Structures are given as structure tokens and as C-alpha cells.
Amino acid sequence: MEYQTVIGLEIHAELNTASKMFCGCAATFGGNPNTKTCPICLGHPGVLPVANRAAIANTILLGLALNCEVTPRSIFHRKNYFYPDMPKDFQISQYDIPLTAGGWLEVEMDGYRRRVGITRVHLEEDTGKSIHIGESGRIHGAEHSLEDFNRAGIPLAEIVSEPDLRGPEEARVFLQLLRATLEYLGISDCKMEEGSLRCDANVSLGVGGELGTKVEIKNMNSFRALSRALAYEVERQRFALEQGQPIVQETRHWDDAAGMTSPLRSKEEAFDYRYFPEPDLVPIEPDADWVEVIRARMPELPVEKLHRFEKDFKLPPEIATMLTSEKAMADYFENAVQTGQDPVELAKWIAGDLAALLKDASIPIDACPLKPTGLGELVALLAQRVISGKMAKDVLREAFESGKTPRVIVADRGLSQIADSSEIESVVDEVVTENPEAAEDLRQGKEAALKFLMGQVMKKTRGKANPSMASDVLRKKLG
Amino acid sequence: MAISIDDVEHVAKLARLELSGEEKETYRRQLSDVLEHARVISEVDTEGVEPTSHTLPLVNVFREDEVRPSLPVEEVTRNATWAEGGAFKVPRII
Amino acid sequence: MDIIYSSGLELARAIKDKEISSVEATSAYLDRIEAVEPRVSAFVNLCADDARERARQIDRAIAAGDDAGPLCGVPIAIKDVLSTRGFTTTCGSRMLEKFVPVYDATAVERVTAAGTVMLGKANMDEFAMGSSTENSYFGPTHNPWDLDRVPGGSSGGSAAAVSAGEAPWALGSDTGGSIRQPAALCGIVGMKPTYGLVSRYGLVAFASSLDQVGPMALDVSDCAALLGVISGHDRRDSTSIEQPAVDYLSRLTGEVKGLKVAIVKELSSEGIDPGVLEKIKAAMDVLEGLGVTCEEVSLPSFSYGLSAYYLIAPAEASSNLARFDGVRYGFRAAGEFADIWEMYDATRAQGFGPEVKRRIMLGTYALSAGYYDEYYAKAQKIRTLIVQDYARAFDTYDLLVSPTSPTTAFKLGEKMDDPLTMYLSDICTIPVNLAGIPALSLPCGLAGGLPVGFQIMGPPLSEQKILDAALALERELKFDVRPVGLEAG
């Protein structure tokens, strides 16, 4: 049976405005419970919302970055439902007339490029947070909950993709690109681990052009969780269909520890949100001038930067993707390129060894102890054959850990490779003299002898001989 | 427009109102009466008529992105005797 | 000086001129309240000590030569639907019986800044839903003109307080007639401004697209003064008209010659008491005598106003009242609950009265899946037709008139059995709220010994013209606002 995987994503990004969407409380992360609240975001009787201009502008900017049309007249709607983290038991959101709609985001993977449709980007307010008190601290099995409204009212941009994603990997790449876009625009902290970027998915399996039943997947709290959850769900649905079992349209919760999705059972009311236009807010009609002012803020976006890196610096796609996935990393690279060293080399070091060091140490790249100029230095030393590739790795590590520049480290440790041809020649001569049988074997064409003799050369030079130069000399003498 | 007891129960659930059997029947009757009376509007020709959500012609009313003082947490919880550590305690959700 | 039944402006002048002190005025009203409240029950809570302290402060300020505001030192009653910082605000409901707000409504801030002294919070139909104040959790208010009758609603406490001489003036709120109808039934002046003229910040919402705060007083000039103080742009209300406050009082002339006025046919025939209609016609004759052209106009969409209102208002209310859930403030049902859903259900069942529950369910139904288009959306289209009918009429006429209420004050309990009968009390006032236009009710005589209200409606932002017409009529009619029979007994 040939099944077509169909995935749509619904992403919420907290906007990093200074104040909340409808009141002046600080929109920052953390703090003791209910220390960043006021009558408005607590839903006290008689309060009224007033819309945050910057949040609207940032949402429009995001829509423009995703190639959407700006809706000439959009309104807020009330989404009515009861939940203890809801200060008003309705959420001010947008329904059928969002701020922006009808765009796309081009993803690149495995040598192909695809446009994934963006249905809409709209603006709404975040809910408070429930802290579940019980054995596990999770909602199932809790004894009671404590409600904290610090987060209530923070502006949320909601991005809905068309059901255009054809697999878990494509979905992950799409989400990473979207995250990078948010980061480049500077409008969100977009950290999944802090909850400023959240993602739900709709997964269905179609057969022969017929759409399958959609299942909503929630609680994927990292990119890895997203991949695993989607892969699991696709497999779960495939297995069920192959057994002849129908897929139930439901919401399923991803359990990262158990590695599976399960139905979310609760006594919540039927999902009839009874949307109606928000009477306490007036329509938004962004005029052409305002939209242009917003558009002028658009920086070079990840996809543009990616293509430019591929074209101007001849970077391979995977490396270019990795570098542009984070603006700070892309900036680091471009600064390193200023040193005049080979961009491809620089890129490989950043995307490879340096990225690994940063990850292990949990340091963001803009706090990297090795500056771009330092990396340039390292690559220069390598290009000049002062050090070997293997040595360079060590030097990198030491530079990262000590903050000393590569040149200084090489000098301190006397690490310079012997790349002087006459010096290498004299060492090779010594080795050949001391090892006549091996030398004879090499003359006979036995590769193993080369290895042995190379080992001797490296031993004599305490590892400092430039390997390629040494083997050239050996071959010349005994080839 | 007759509403059934099922309708009343469904609506009461959406509105989170607990009703006794007697109340359900009383409300069923009264809601049916009001809706029956309101049904006259279905006779009116509203072809091409836009709904009015606001009688004001206002658009684009915004505030600047400025932080203003929040409430001290004692003020936040003063009307909730069940508050704990500055947070609002509620019975379990699931 | 006879303090009780002096107008607010007369009292302000007297206090400013040091003829009397604010403390004297405040004490006089507190004494009056003590004498009359057992019969009228206009107030939910009184703040006598705070009032006296504030009156003292104002007197000190006046003595020091400071500006104590245009309404300096004059007492006022505030409908318990307006948020008053540090003082209980109940909205006539068990849900908020002990609720103490942490902020003041804008309208309250402004009357306070103008120098008034709050005597207490006036009784009302629960969450402003009703036309008789019989839906108050704290018991009904009695009409000072006949204590066995209702004062009207939902601002019945405010109207009765003013009518009974317990306060010279009051703030009320109007969603479907809740200022005008009780003003009519109690024989005082009440006004609903243009939607957006007075800030709704701090007005506990019933139907957000219809609610407005407004003045209730013994005469037109007092209304003009209060309106001037509370109106004007408020950046805390996104639906607030972007214009500064207007000084209606200083521009009040009472000039009406040459105005063209029409009575609305659909609000002046079927279902209106003949006694009421007689007084309305008499008032129109008076206007004619003053040089006003009086005609009749038919606005067919008005026949559907009641139906549209009883879908739109409850729909918005069902959403506005969802926040009363026992989580962050207010009433929470006692006992242990298996889960929060049971807590919600019990809290709301016990915290709300029957009329509120009825409207919440009606509104929820009108918005629910499958019914939205047929009910809510359709009602909003009827609303457009009403807006258009008014606009068309105002092309020809300066002002429109009608009775405020189809009847005079009815007996307590008379309309409580059948909600629909009660809803019909609002038939004349509702179209005004649906269209967002301003309207005022002026007492124009007695029918069967009970006050009759004359409603004057105008296009958006025509408050000055309405006030002028009302003043002209008031001067001619010379209606005595003091309820006959209250003093005895």
C-alpha cells in the first residue's frame, strides 16, 4: 500500500515586545507567580484591552517575510472556552480575517527546493501557566494546580502552514527555517525549551490521492521531539491502516520519555469556540505607508543568505544551511571571511568542530572564546602548512578553552610543523639509512613500507613533519 | 422554535452551569419562548446587508509598546482567599 | 438652604460660595438615607465614614482657596456596576458580593476629580440584566412614587436614590434602556450618551457593543454638567471617541425654535399605555408651541429591534460573564471538588441568579455552532437596518421622540413570571443602543399618579441639541420631581 504522508504545522511564537499585547505589564520570561499582572491581564471585571502597536507591526513583518498578503482590514475575534489559565475564559485571537495570509516558505533539502504554503499569520494573546502539583508534576495524576498569569497576555504570532509537508524530516527543516526567520527578524526569542516557540502538527496518511483522517499531535517540545513524534505517528497510522483499522480524528499527546503519542483525554467541553468579532477592539487597516515602513525593516532572510553563501562562497548546501540556521553563526562566518582565508575551509571548521565544541559547552556562538579573526588565524596556519590538520583540531580546542589565539598557542607549544623541504629531506635520508630493508621494500613498491617509514619520520620529528611533504620526499627518493 | 432538553444540557455545559432537572425544563421553556419571538428576524430581507459589530467608525486604535507598573502580588490575590504563594489554587484539571 | 432636592449645581455653587459646607451637604444626605432607605432600598453598600472624611477634605481645600472642582463637594450615588477602588463592587450579584476592586473606573475617577463625594453604591439588576431591579441578589429597590412598584432597571437604585432625595445625582449604565427607563419610571432625567463618548473602562461589561455610562439627575442642567465631566477620550478604552470632553453646561441655551422633530410610529402605537401616550402627545404640543415642527415618521426595522437585541446582548454577555469562574476573584462554591469542571459548574450555578443564567444560555445558544448565522449574524444585520433607518430619519429631522417606556411603573412581582413580558419594557429604548446614538428621558407628567418619561433621540454626537430640547421642555412642563407620598409614612 502506497501512503502519502501529509503534515501541516501550527506554530506559535511569543513576540519579544517589551509589554504585553493588551496591557503594559512586562512581557518577559520568568519571575515569581503573578508579579507581572494587572487588572487587564487578570481579567478583572470592567477592564478593556488596548492593542500593542509593535506587536501588530512585528506580525505584519513576519507575514511579509513569509511572502503573505497583508489583509486590508482585519479584526480580532473572541475564542470562547473555559480553562483555569484563561483570565477571561475567552482568548482574544483572530478567526477568518487574519492580519496576513496566503504566503509560502521555500525549504531546501537533499538537493531539492520546495515551496511550503503558509495559510496565515495572525496575532493573539497567550494564556497563563498551570503548575501541576502532584507526584509527577504533570497534568495527569495531579492533585491540584496553581495558576500563574505572568505569561497571560503576551503577544503570540500564530503561523499555520498548508498541509504541504510530506514527511517528518521536511517538517523539521521547515520549522528550523521558520525559527531562523523569526530570529533574523529579531521579533521573538524563539526558544522551544523556554516555550517561546511552540509547535503542533496535523498528520494524515492519504491513499491514491484521497486525503486521510487528520490527527493533531501536541506537546512536542524540541526539534528532535518533533521528528520523533511525527515519525512515530506516521508509523502508527500506517500500521493501523494496514490492519484495516480506521484512524480516529483526535488530539494526541507526544510522550517524549515513552516515545509514543496517546489520546488526550479530558473533561473539557466540546470544542465549540463560538467565535464572534471582539467588540472591545476596533478593526486594523494597515495603510500602504505603514506597510512600507515595516517592510523596510526586513533584513536579509535565511533563505536569501543561504543562497548567497552557496553562490558567493561556493559553500555546499548542507554547510550553508547549518551556518544560516542561526544568525549569529552566519555573522560569525562572514566576519571570519573578512580575514581573507578560504570560505569553504572556514565554513567547515565552524559547522563542524567549532559547532561541536559550542554544543558540548552549551555556549552560544556570540559568546565563543575563539573570535572569527582567531579562526582565520587557524585556517591560515593550516594553509601555510605550519600545522597539520590533526594539530589544528587540538589547537582549536585549546583556543576555545583558553581564549588564547592559535598563533600564540602554536608558538607556546612549539607546534610548528616542519615544512621546510631541506629539513625534511635530511630527516628522510637519516630514516632511509637506518632502515635499509624497509627502504628496499618501498623501492619494490610495497605500500606497507611507506607507512612504516612515514612512522619513523614522524617519530624522529616528534610528529612535526608535514605528512604530505614527507611522503612526497620519500616517494621521490625511493619511488 | 422548540429547544430540547438535550440542547439545554449542551448549552449549559458550554457555559459551565450546573442545572437541576427542574431548572432545565424551566429554561427550556423560557428559551424556546424567547427564540420563538426572536424568529421574526428571519423574515426580514437582509440580502446585501453587512452585519454591524461596531457603530463607531474607529480603526487602528493602538498603544505604544511601553512597560507600565504591574500590581503588587498582594493586590493580585486579595480577592482570592484560596491563593497560595501568590498563585491561584484550583482543583485538578484532569 | 433646603439641601435635599436642591440640584447638584445649586449645591456646588452654595458649597463653593461657602454658604454651606460639603460636610453639611453630605450629612444631610446621609440622614435622608437613614430615614428613607428602609422603604426604598436604593443602595447595596454605603460608605458613610469615607464620605464624611472626603467631605472634610474638600471643605479644607475650599477654605485654603484651592480649586475643588466644578462639582465641588456635592454628594453622588454610583451604580454598583462601576469599579470603585477599595470599595466593594457587587454588580447586584452574589458572584461579587465581597469583591473589592483594585482600580477605579474612568467615569468614577472623573467625577471624583470634579469634586463629588460618593455616598455609596446603588442597587441594580444583577449584572445590569433586567428592567425592574428585581433581579438584584440583595433584594429589589422600591419606587419612591409607590413603594409597591418597581423603580425600573437595571439602574433602579440610582434612579430611586435621586428620586427619593437620597442623592442629588447618580451615575448609571445603559445597555438597552437601563438609565432611561428607570429615570422615566421614577420621574427624573437620565441620559445615554453616544456610544464611545464616555469611557467604558471600569464599567463591568454586560454587552460591550451596547453599554454606556451616563448621568441621572433631577434636572437637565445637572445632566449636562455630569455628562461634561465624564465624557471625552480615554486611552484605556479602544472604543472611546477621539475627542476631548465637551462643556455641555456652558453651551446650554434651551433654544429650540426652528427644530424639526418626529415621533417614531413603531414606538408609539401598539403596546403603549394610552395614559403614557397622552402625556407624550401633550409634550409634543408644548414643543410645537415653542416653534418646533412636529411630525411622525415610520422606521420599519424598529419592529425587529427587541428580537435583535435579545440575541446580540445575551451573546456578548455570555462571553463577558465567562470570567466569573471562581479562579481569580469573586465567589467560589464551597466544598471539595473532584475537578475544576465541577468547581466551575457549581460556582456559576450558585453565584448567578436565574435571569443572568437565562441570558448566558440564550447568548451561548445564539453563538453556538450551527446557529451563529441564523441568530447572531442575522441580528447584527437587523442592527445595520436600524442604523440606516435612523440615519435616513436624521437626514430630515433634527431629533426623534417617543415614550421612554410603554408603561408607567408596574407592581413588584408583576412581570417576574414571564421573561418575555419583562423584555417588552425595553421596546422603546433598545433601538437607541443598537444604533449607538444618544438619547435622554425627561419626566413629562403623571399618568395614574405615576411618572411618564419622554424620550428624545438624536444623531451621533448631538448631545447638545438633545439637552437644549429637553431644557426647553423642562422649563415649560415644570414637572415636580418630588415623589408624592414619600414624605408621609
Side-chain angles (χ1 to χ4, degrees), chain C residues 239-482:
Chain C
T239 60
S240 172
I241 295 177
E242 277 153 2
Q243 71 166 44
V246 173
D247 187 351
Y248 300 102
L249 181 65
S250 66
R251 295 172 206 206
L252 203 55
T253 58
E255 284 297 314
V256 290
K257 194 152 176 200
L259 280 185
K260 223 170 151 201
V261 152
I263 187 166
V264 179
K265 177 155 171 255
E266 285 73 12
L267 305 182
S268 323
S269 35
E270 223 180 283
I272 310 294
D273 251 17
V276 167
L277 213 47
E278 202 191 300
K279 285 285 171 278
I280 302 302
K281 296 269 163 78
M284 289 193 77
D285 289 341
V286 170
L287 283 176
E288 254 181 345
L290 294 170
V292 174
T293 309
C294 291
E295 292 174 9
E296 187 186 73
V297 72
S298 171
L299 301 174
S301 66
F302 282 35
S303 309
Y304 305 103
L306 197 76
S307 305
Y309 175 84
Y310 276 101
L311 291 170
I312 295 169
E316 294 183 9
S318 70
S319 177
N320 284 325
L321 267 59
R323 69 190 64 198
F324 301 110
D325 60 8
V327 173
R328 286 148 287 112
Y329 52 79
F331 177 79
R332 180 189 276 204
E336 291 294 308
F337 296 103
D339 56 38
I340 194 168
W341 311 102
E342 286 189 11
M343 189 277 270
Y344 282 150
D345 294 348
T347 295
R348 290 165 62 81
Q350 295 169 31
F352 290 136
E355 183 60 37
V356 169
K357 284 191 269 200
R358 193 160 26 243
R359 296 200 195 190
I360 288 175
M361 286 201 286
L362 187 53
T364 305
Y365 190 83
L367 289 174
S368 64
Y371 296 110
Y372 180 92
D373 287 333
E374 192 184 331
Y375 290 119
Y376 186 76
K378 184 77 180 185
Q380 295 283 48
K381 291 182 183 181
I382 301 292
R383 191 172 179 179
T384 304
L385 293 178
I386 292 176
V387 170
Q388 288 171 353
D389 269 359
Y390 267 125
R392 216 178 352 257
F394 287 128
D395 274 343
T396 311
Y397 300 103
D398 295 294
L399 300 169
L400 297 174
V401 301
S402 79
T404 306
S405 165
T407 65
T408 54
F410 43 92
K411 284 205 181 284
L412 286 156
E414 187 182 315
K415 300 194 193 224
M416 287 300 273
D417 285 336
D418 180 10
L420 254 179
T421 322
M422 186 70 85
Y423 296 167
L424 285 166
S425 315
D426 300 331
I427 203 166
C428 302
T429 47
I430 271 170
V432 166
N433 300 82
L434 289 172
I437 61 170
L440 173 151
S441 179
L442 178 78
C444 65
L446 299 175
L450 296 166
V452 174
F454 184 75
Q455 176 171 242
I456 306 171
M457 304 168 267
L461 299 175
S462 64
E463 279 77 3
Q464 197 68 62
K465 201 177 280 184
I466 293 174
L467 287 162
D468 278 326
L471 182 63
L473 208 48
E474 179 184 79
R475 282 174 174 158
E476 293 299 310
L477 294 173
K478 297 192 188 14
F479 178 83
D480 187 349
V481 291
R482 283 167 301 185

Side-chain angles (χ1 to χ4, degrees), chain A residues 42-43 45-46 80 87 89 280, chain C residues 103 200 202 319 325 328-329 339 369:
Chain A
L42 287 168
N80 297 283
D89 291 303
D280 291 333
Chain C
Y103 75 98
R200 290 185 299 117
S319 177
D325 60 8
R328 286 148 287 112
Y329 52 79
D339 56 38

Side-chain angles (χ1 to χ4, degrees), chain A residues 101-157:
Chain A
W104 45 268
L105 186 61
E106 191 178 84
V107 297
E108 192 167 320
M109 56 186 289
D110 294 347
Y112 71 87
R113 289 180 187 178
R114 272 195 71 225
R115 273 193 187 184
V116 177
I118 303 282
T119 316
R120 53 193 279 148
V121 179
H122 78 243
L123 185 53
E124 59 187 34
E125 56 175 349
D126 209 348
T127 64
K129 257 218 277 261
S130 302
I131 306 151
H132 306 298
I133 308 298
E135 258 180 52
S136 62
R138 296 179 55 236
I139 195 173
H140 288 90
E143 284 160 25
H144 60 265
S145 298
L146 294 171
E147 300 301 326
D148 171 16
F149 294 95
N150 282 348
R151 197 181 73 176
I154 287 185
L156 279 182

